[in-house]
Amino acid sequence: MNATACRGCGRSGLSLVLDLGQMPLANAILAPEDLARPEPRYPLALAYCPACWLVQITETVAPELLFREYTYFSSVSDEFVEHARAIADRLIVARHLGPSSLVVELASNDGYLLQHYAGAGVPVLGIDPARNIAEVATARGVPTLAEFFTRDLADELARSGRTADVVHANNVIAHVPDLNGFVAGIARILKPSGLAVIETPYLRELVERLEFDTIYHEHVFYHSLTALSTVFERAGLGVVDVERIPVHGGSLRVFATRSGAGEPSEAVRSLLAGEAAAGLGNLAYYADFAGRVEALGRELRALLVDLRSQGHTVAAYGAAAKGAVLLNAFGIGPDLISFVADRSPHKQGHLMPGVHIPIVDSEQLVARKPEECLLLAWNFADEIMAQQAEYRRLGGKFIIPGPKLTLV
Ligand code: ZN
């Protein structure tokens, strides 16, 4: 489905910001036998609404294709679970939560967050469309509905008296094409005194740190506080507080209540003023970003072509979605990169989406000693270079693509 009108305010006249071309689904790594079948590709382009500042991609892929068998288990990351425990402990005290309260989480994954409330005796309800993950959560004591959260589901819950003191929605509000329906659903299940806590990657971090490779079909929206506030107001919610947190390359944690139930904090006023001053309401801000992405693509390709012409073998590291975006957006295929090393046994023996570079185990970096290795997971540059110290000791060099192309 191609959006010609803004998914937030409904006005036409979206401005195209950055066109990343025809892109396969960034998480859809291929088995060798998949090469015999056509690989679906969808346009991937970023647009900006001059009326409400909402940044969004133009083409929506059906959520059923993306989220029904999700393979990312939140509890795999210790840091993530600790981050979840901290906010749960804090809100149990601040909101006086107890046995007669209810905490609901949308996109609750494997129960990594709600388990902390449940453990403190606070009733919980998880909602997550990935059936395999919902089963895991329910088994660990976090009752979970395997459904997409919609306005209709919210109605059903509210009518059966299941309204919430706290609603969490972490890393999901960027994924749902029906943004207005989703937020109206939150308002519907919130008690009059309830609090919604929403975490989502922050647009300013994306633009300023050149994290263009987090743009892919699973992420429909790239939120600023200004644009989100407008969406919330439309649903009868008001933003009362905000924090910047170091999750997923830099995120916002937004606190909202029913309109009129609270006043915006100083942090809210100052972040909104900062967005206006940085130019988030001007197309020039986004045009500058697009120019920097295109320049990086030209520079990186030129470097790889040059290394290959010197007879070097160049590998890459990190077969995650963002790597697939970078390789496809810049047209970097097996002619320039011999293999992608990755620690996940589930990915080894497969091929990168679109460009079809083979994925091998990370030991191959030391075994095959390519002269250079392009770091696709450059958000974890320090961690990976520490793990792969042996490769560097043997003379291997890492190419770090962003935010500025460097060879170390
Ligand atoms: Zn709009």
Side-chain angles (χ1 to χ4, degrees), residues 5 12 32 43 101 110 146 149 178 187 190 224 236 249 273 282 331 334 356 364 366 403 405:
S12 57
S101 312
D110 58 5
F149 181 71
D178 180 16
L190 211 54
S224 62
N282 303 318
H356 303 168
Q364 294 297 313
V366 166
L405 186 62

Side-chain angles (χ1 to χ4, degrees), residues 235-250:
L237 296 173
V239 174
V240 293
D241 205 3
V242 65
E243 295 165 1
R244 290 180 77 161
I245 52 173
V247 177
H248 290 298

Side-chain angles (χ1 to χ4, degrees), residues 6 8-9 49 51-52 54:
C6 172
C9 70
C49 175
C52 75
L54 188 59

